[in-house]
């Protein structure tokens, strides 16, 4: 009895400790941002350009780039994920489906640095040669590589959702004469649409938070992202470039604001994903 | 019993007197070649000593040696008086290095005036055909904010002028070399000591960054490479600094295409 009580207390304490530490993160980010907020208001930080020589530390270019690369890679990845899920589902019993499934699962564990290096040595020269981008270090490269990074995540989650459909429903549709694509698009997808949406949102969160791909492949220029073939810096690589810098400088404090913005973006997405998942019937 | 006690005390004293077994060096990426070679030689003589050399840029080197995170910080730029005072740093000049403006080896351009370099970096000149090259847009490369190479280049070559916001950022001398070697329309800058045949170094105002021109000052975009300690160097730190400044160390400096300070 006493042992049980002790165990419960330990569990409760651990949970409280963990939650408190997690809540401290946004608090610390806010506290360290204060010196910067005194110089540039929130509006300046969110909407103006990066120009330290004139005292403006606006992050708008980086925010735009983060959103563009996030959305672009999520769209491409989701489309491919649908195709892969289709193949895996309808070839579940034979070698094709199983191999593909195992391959995707293995891909999920590959560290992003591997994709970044592969991108640097294979994709960048290709894009430099065949696209308007002279260097190959541009938003398109980042979007393509990010699509690969988040593809396993989205595919696995969609597969899970599809596999949770009771086989009785699938059999019912098939016995009514539904062809494969009708089954997939008119029965299965609508049924699991909320879980699929949650999967896509999680993929978007991963894409926006990825640092290494953008750092290595985007060129990190300060100019606005005017086209897919221009180079531009996003929030995560901005943080990575400033971290070795001088802590006391005002510039340095922008990493806390940037991290705060990323936190807000991913939190909002997590809440959306949670709500979507909760409401599935 | 007495013998045991004496033995234990002796061992303790030896243990206290024994020096730190690890020497940590970080900072300027231009220094890395020299640092690693000298470290190799010292580790060969002291097998129990482990020396680690890292990059990060001059800013990182100065900050980390000041905060005691590393034992020696390397800088490719002059230290600011505020930095010296705040941390109590002592900089040692270990080599002279020039900063070269580099382009792709197949570029038609071999010489630029300083004004042209400044205009290219400011974004006023955007096509190679404006400076005697092919009809192609110029891709400008610059270094991360921590770079001493960049700080020196900005001060001495660009005369503290603006750098175009279209410039691409790379994170080390090595990174710069890889990118310029790959991009036919690129222009960048890096430590002359670290260049090789994968890039082409330009002459500025018809003066090439050759040893003679660096030594007599006619190629003015040059800087000292410093190794910085916090306070007077002692123990292994002193061994390393002495090695860098010895005739053997300076020979390594020369071997790595820098100019010795002695």
């Amino acid at each position: 009895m006493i042992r049980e009580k002790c165990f419960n207390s330990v569990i409760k304490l651990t949970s409280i400790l963990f939650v408190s530490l997690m809540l401290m993160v946004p608090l610390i980010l806010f506290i360290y941002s204060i010196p910067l907020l005194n110089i540039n208001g929130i509006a300046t930080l969110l909407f103006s350009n990066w120009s330290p020589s004139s005292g403006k530390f606006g992050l708008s270019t980086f925010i735009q780039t983060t959103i563009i690369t996030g959305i672009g890679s999520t769209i491409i990845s989701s489309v491919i994920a649908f195709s892969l899920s289709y193949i895996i589902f309808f070839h579940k019993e034979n070698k094709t489906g199983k191999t593909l499934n195992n391959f995707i699962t293995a891909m999920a564990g590959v560290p992003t640095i591997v994709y970044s290096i592969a991108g640097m040595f294979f994709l960048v020269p290709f894009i430099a040669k065949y696209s308007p981008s002279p260097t190959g270090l541009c938003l398109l490269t980042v979007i393509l590589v990010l699509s690969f990074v988040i593809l396993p995540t989205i595919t696995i989650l969609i597969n899970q959702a599809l596999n949770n459909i009771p086989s009785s429903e699938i059999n019912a549709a098939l016995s009514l004469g539904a062809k494969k694509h009708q089954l997939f698009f008119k029965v299965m997808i609508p049924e699991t649409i909320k879980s699929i949406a949650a999967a896509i949102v999680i993929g978007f969160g991963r894409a926006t938070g990825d640092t290494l791909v953008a750092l290595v492949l985007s060129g990190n220029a300060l100019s606005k992202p005017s086209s897919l073939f221009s180079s531009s810096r996003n929030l995560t690589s901005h943080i990575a470039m400033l971290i070795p810098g001088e802590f006391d400088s005002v510039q340095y404090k922008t990493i806390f604001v940037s991290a705060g913005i990323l936190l807000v973006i991913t939190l909002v997405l997590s809440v959306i994903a949670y709500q979507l998942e909760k409401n599935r019937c | 019993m007495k013998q045991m006690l004496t033995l234990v005390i002796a061992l303790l004293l030896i243990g206290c007197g024994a020096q730190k077994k690890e020497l940590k060096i970080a900072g300027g990426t231009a220094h890395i070649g020299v640092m690693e070679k000298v470290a190799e030689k010292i580790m060969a003589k002291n097998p129990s000593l482990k020396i680690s050399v890292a990059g990060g840029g001059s800013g990182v080197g100065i900050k980390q040696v000041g905060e005691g995170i590393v034992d020696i910080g390397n800088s490719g730029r002059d230290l600011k008086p505020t930095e010296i005072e705040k941390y109590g740093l002592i900089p040692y000049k270990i080599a002279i290095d020039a900063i070269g403006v580099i382009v792709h080896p197949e570029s038609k351009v071999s010489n630029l005036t300083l004004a042209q370099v400044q205009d290219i970096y400011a974004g006023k000149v955007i096509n190679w055909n404006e400076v005697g090259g092919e009809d192609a847009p110029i891709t400008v490369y610059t270094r991360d904010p921590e770079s001493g190479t960049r700080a020196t280049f900005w001060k001495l070559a660009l005369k503290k002028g603006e750098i175009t916001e279209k410039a691409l950022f790379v994170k080390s001398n090595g990174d710069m070399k890889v990118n310029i070697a790959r991009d036919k329309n690129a222009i960048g800058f890096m430590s002359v000591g670290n260049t090789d045949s994968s890039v082409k170094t330009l002459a500025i105002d018809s003066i090439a960054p050759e040893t003679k021109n660096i030594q007599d000052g006619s190629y003015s975009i040059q800087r000292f490479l410093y190794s910085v300690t916090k306070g007077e160097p002692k123990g292994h730190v002193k061994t390393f600094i002495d090695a860098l400044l010895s005739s053997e160390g300076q020979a390594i400096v020369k071997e790595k295409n820098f100019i010795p300070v002695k």
Side-chain angles (χ1 to χ4, degrees):
Chain A
M1 198 53 206
I2 297 183
R3 203 183 287 181
E4 210 176 295
K5 272 200 181 142
C6 267
F7 185 68
N8 285 338
S9 314
V10 168
I11 297 272
K12 274 194 199 145
L13 272 174
T14 320
S15 314
I16 294 176
L17 182 65
F18 183 73
V19 172
S20 326
L21 285 174
M22 290 297 292
L23 288 176
M24 265 171 53
V25 171
L27 190 61
I28 290 178
L29 288 179
F30 180 67
I31 292 179
Y32 279 121
S33 306
I34 292 181
L36 178 58
L37 292 172
N38 284 336
I39 300 182
N40 283 160
I42 292 269
T44 322
L45 288 174
L46 289 180
F47 298 116
S48 59
N49 289 331
W50 179 258
S51 165
S53 47
S54 43
K56 281 202 194 300
F57 300 96
L59 305 169
S60 76
T61 315
F62 313 142
I63 297 176
Q64 284 173 30
T65 311
T66 300
I67 293 181
I68 293 174
T69 51
I71 293 182
S73 57
T74 308
I75 292 177
I76 295 179
S77 204
S78 306
V79 169
I80 302 180
F82 271 117
S83 324
L84 289 176
S85 304
Y86 184 96
I87 299 175
I88 292 178
F89 184 82
F90 287 113
H91 294 266
K92 241 192 303 199
E93 306 306 315
N94 65 30
K95 228 174 170 187
T96 321
K98 287 201 181 129
T99 320
L100 195 54
N101 201 15
N102 292 336
F103 186 68
I104 299 286
T105 314
M107 255 179 89
V110 174
T112 49
I113 181 94
V114 175
Y115 291 113
S116 309
I117 295 179
M120 189 156 80
F121 288 106
F122 294 118
L123 191 56
V124 168
F126 183 81
I127 297 212
K129 210 165 173 196
Y130 295 111
S131 83
S133 163
T135 56
L137 299 171
C138 59
L139 293 187
L140 180 63
T141 319
V142 174
I143 287 178
L144 289 177
V145 177
L146 275 180
S147 312
F148 267 92
V149 171
I150 62 178
L151 180 62
T153 310
I154 300 184
T155 312
I156 290 176
L157 288 173
I158 293 183
N159 282 345
Q160 254 179 25
L162 296 177
N163 285 334
N164 281 338
I165 302 176
S167 50
S168 52
E169 294 187 19
I170 310 232
N171 291 333
L174 286 173
S175 65
L176 286 172
K179 301 211 179 60
K180 276 198 277 199
H181 66 269
Q182 288 171 323
L183 171 62
F184 193 76
F185 288 106
K186 300 224 181 226
V187 177
M188 292 169 71
I189 299 284
E191 166 125 2
T192 54
I193 191 74
K194 298 215 167 88
S195 300
I196 292 179
I200 294 179
V201 162
I202 291 177
F204 179 77
R206 266 206 75 181
T208 30
D210 194 272
T211 308
L212 212 42
V213 173
L215 188 60
V216 171
L217 299 173
S218 72
N220 295 307
L222 293 172
S223 48
K224 279 197 178 300
S226 51
S227 88
L228 276 181
F229 305 107
S230 66
S231 161
S232 189
R233 195 188 294 186
N234 76 359
L235 281 171
T236 48
S237 52
H238 177 68
I239 295 177
M241 291 190 86
L242 286 190
I243 274 196
E246 212 181 289
F247 183 80
D248 297 321
S249 68
V250 184
Q251 253 195 43
Y252 195 84
K253 311 290 189 224
T254 58
I255 71 174
F256 302 110
V257 180
S258 307
I261 295 175
L262 284 170
L263 193 62
V264 167
I265 295 179
T266 39
L267 267 177
V268 166
L269 291 175
S270 297
V271 169
I272 296 178
Y274 176 71
Q275 292 298 331
L276 288 173
E277 188 71 27
K278 208 170 67 150
N279 291 336
R280 96 184 142 175
C281 38
Chain B
M1 196 54 209
K2 242 189 191 167
Q3 287 156 331
M4 269 287 274
L5 205 55
T6 326
L7 188 60
V8 167
I9 294 179
L11 280 174
L12 281 172
L13 284 173
I14 294 175
C16 288
Q19 290 166 353
K20 224 161 33 131
K21 293 285 181 64
E22 201 188 336
L23 187 64
K24 290 187 276 215
I25 306 176
T29 56
H31 305 58
I32 291 181
V34 172
M35 293 290 131
E36 283 180 342
K37 198 74 191 276
V38 173
E40 236 174 84
K41 291 211 161 24
I42 295 185
M43 284 195 284
K45 289 189 199 137
N46 293 340
S48 63
L49 176 63
K50 181 170 164 289
I51 306 180
S52 61
V53 178
S58 306
V60 168
I62 295 171
K63 186 170 80 149
Q64 290 194 338
V65 74
E67 313 252 314
I69 299 175
V70 298
D71 305 295
I72 298 179
N74 289 325
S75 173
R77 61 162 171 85
D78 300 332
L79 269 60
K80 302 184 198 146
T82 45
E83 286 168 335
I84 298 184
E85 223 182 279
K86 178 173 177 191
Y87 294 120
L89 300 176
I90 302 183
Y92 291 92
K93 292 180 184 161
I94 59 153
I96 301 176
D97 180 29
I99 298 180
V101 177
I102 52 172
V103 295
H104 192 270
E106 287 169 19
S107 167
K108 281 193 191 153
V109 177
S110 298
N111 174 55
L112 287 175
T113 65
L114 195 62
Q116 284 173 322
V117 173
Q118 290 169 351
D119 286 340
I120 291 176
Y121 265 84
K124 292 189 195 139
V125 167
I126 56 173
N127 194 308
W128 279 112
N129 61 15
E130 298 177 61
V131 290
E134 300 191 357
D135 178 17
I138 305 179
T139 330
V140 177
Y141 285 82
T142 181
R143 283 285 304 278
D144 57 295
E146 286 311 294
S147 163
T149 313
R150 189 195 68 100
T152 313
F153 181 73
W154 182 66
K155 194 166 84 171
L156 296 179
L158 301 184
K159 310 286 186 211
K160 303 201 179 185
E162 283 285 314
I163 297 185
T164 169
E165 65 170 16
K166 291 209 186 332
L168 303 183
F169 283 76
V170 294
K171 282 176 22 285
S172 71
N173 276 296
D175 221 2
M176 178 71 86
K177 193 165 57 169
V178 163
N179 276 285
I180 306 295
R182 186 178 56 205
D183 181 354
K184 287 214 172 67
N185 303 319
I187 187 170
F189 55 85
M190 68 181 283
S191 147
V192 165
N194 280 293
T195 54
D196 59 27
S197 54
S198 64
V199 295
K200 180 196 219 178
T201 314
L202 298 180
I204 306 292
D205 291 328
S206 305
I207 303 176
E210 287 158 13
T211 310
K212 187 172 64 74
N213 297 330
I214 302 173
Q215 275 173 326
D216 65 27
S218 50
Y219 188 89
S220 59
I221 314 171
Q222 51 171 278
R223 40 94 180 258
F224 287 106
L225 292 185
Y226 295 94
S227 286
V228 184
T229 59
K230 188 176 169 113
E232 283 294 327
K234 298 191 189 65
H236 291 306
V237 178
K238 184 168 189 332
T239 314
F240 199 89
I241 300 282
D242 287 343
L244 283 171
L245 298 171
S246 70
S247 53
E248 219 184 306
Q250 292 293 299
I252 293 180
V253 161
K254 197 158 181 207
E255 186 194 314
K256 294 285 175 188
N257 295 322
F258 298 108
I259 295 174
V261 281
K262 298 261 167 85

